[in-house]
């Protein structure tokens, strides 16, 4: 679960464990600044970004740097360059919502309450079936990897960002054990979904230790090759996580 998954330490709604920036250096800083403004609604669909000369003056960067940043935002579906008009902010229907950076910015936006349920829906669609497949297909090496990932949870139960990282490793190791290359490729998305929602789950007393039993139930079912039990255990882990995350979000509003 996200709340109990990651060692729930109290934080404000705006704080989060941040993923790596989508682009390095100055272009990355510009991408992040503008991306957050778009996701927050400060820049609305149809708005035209200031002319290059204005941004160059404000940001103190080269034209090449600015254009690189705009290209990244365009690739994420957030903006569109129009001849004679300029760079226009696009509507949400055009955004690449599964892009890790976009998901991260969404998690930091004021509208995240509306998004949280949908993100948990993604997890429920993917992870329980991934656990069932892992129960059916895992080999000895995968079993060792899953056990090691679980064993790493305990020492980091109250370690903030470290707890989050080991929890993500546990969930991704389960997906990898499913033996489906396409499912494994969703790992980056699942990583970001967990990371984006986990900031809401760091306030419950007991930290990650609270959810060790739920994690253990998933691992035991997978190692026992009990597909139905693995599926059910993962559903329970995620249901408990969503409840905690919603409560933390409500308290922060």
């Amino acid at each position: 679960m996200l709340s109990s998954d990651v060692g729930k330490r109290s934080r404000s709604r705006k704080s989060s464990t941040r993923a790596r920036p989508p682009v390095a250096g100055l272009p990355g800083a510009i991408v992040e600044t503008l991306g957050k403004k778009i996701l927050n609604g400060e820049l609305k669909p149809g708005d035209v970004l200031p002319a290059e000369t204005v941004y160059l003056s404000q940001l103190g960067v080269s034209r090449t740097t600015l254009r690189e940043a705009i290209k990244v935002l365009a690739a994420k579906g957030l903006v569109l360059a129009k001849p004679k008009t300029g760079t226009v902010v696009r509507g949400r229907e055009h955004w690449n919502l599964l892009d890790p950076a976009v998901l991260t910015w969404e998690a930091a936006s004021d509208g995240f309450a509306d998004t949280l349920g949908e993100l948990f829906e993604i997890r429920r669609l993917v992870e329980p079936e991934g656990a069932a497949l892992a129960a059916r297909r895992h080999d000895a090496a995968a079993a060792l990897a899953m056990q090691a990932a679980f064993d790493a949870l305990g020492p980091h139960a109250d370690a903030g960002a470290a707890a989050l990282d080991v929890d993500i490793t546990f969930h991704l190791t389960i997906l990898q054990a499913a033996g489906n290359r396409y499912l494994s490729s969703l790992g980056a998305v699942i990583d970001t979904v967990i990371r984006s929602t986990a900031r809401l789950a760091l306030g419950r007393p007991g930290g990650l230790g609270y959810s060790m039993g739920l994690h253990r139930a998933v691992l035991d079912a997978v190692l026992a090759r009990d597909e139905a039990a693995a599926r059910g255990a993962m559903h329970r882990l995620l249901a408990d996580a969503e409840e905690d995350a919603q409560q933390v979000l409500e308290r922060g509003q």
Side-chain angles (χ1 to χ4, degrees), residues 95-164:
W95 300 351
N96 181 1
L97 294 175
L98 293 181
D99 181 278
V102 175
L103 270 174
T104 300
W105 299 331
E106 181 108 70
S109 71
D110 293 333
F112 187 57
D114 298 329
T115 302
L116 183 64
E118 293 180 271
L119 293 179
F120 273 105
E121 285 178 355
I122 291 175
R123 295 194 71 185
R124 287 195 297 272
L125 287 169
V126 173
E127 292 191 71
E129 292 307 315
L133 285 175
R136 182 194 310 172
R137 297 175 175 171
H138 75 269
D139 57 17
L144 288 173
M146 288 185 288
Q147 184 66 58
F150 175 80
D151 291 342
L153 295 175
H156 295 287
D158 224 11
L164 173 59

Side-chain angles (χ1 to χ4, degrees), residues 13 27 36 38 42 45 49 72 76 90 96 105 139 161 174 183 185 207 228:
R13 209 163 78 74
K36 286 182 175 179
I38 293 171
E42 186 176 341
L49 299 185
V72 172
K76 297 179 187 301
R90 306 186 79 184
N96 181 1
W105 299 331
D139 57 17
I174 298 289
L183 182 59
S185 72

Side-chain angles (χ1 to χ4, degrees), residues 4-8 153 156-157 163 166-167 206-212 215:
S4 38
D5 259 0
V6 295
K8 306 172 182 172
L153 295 175
H156 295 287
V166 295
D167 183 63
L208 182 56
Y210 172 83
S211 67
M212 289 297 286
H215 285 82

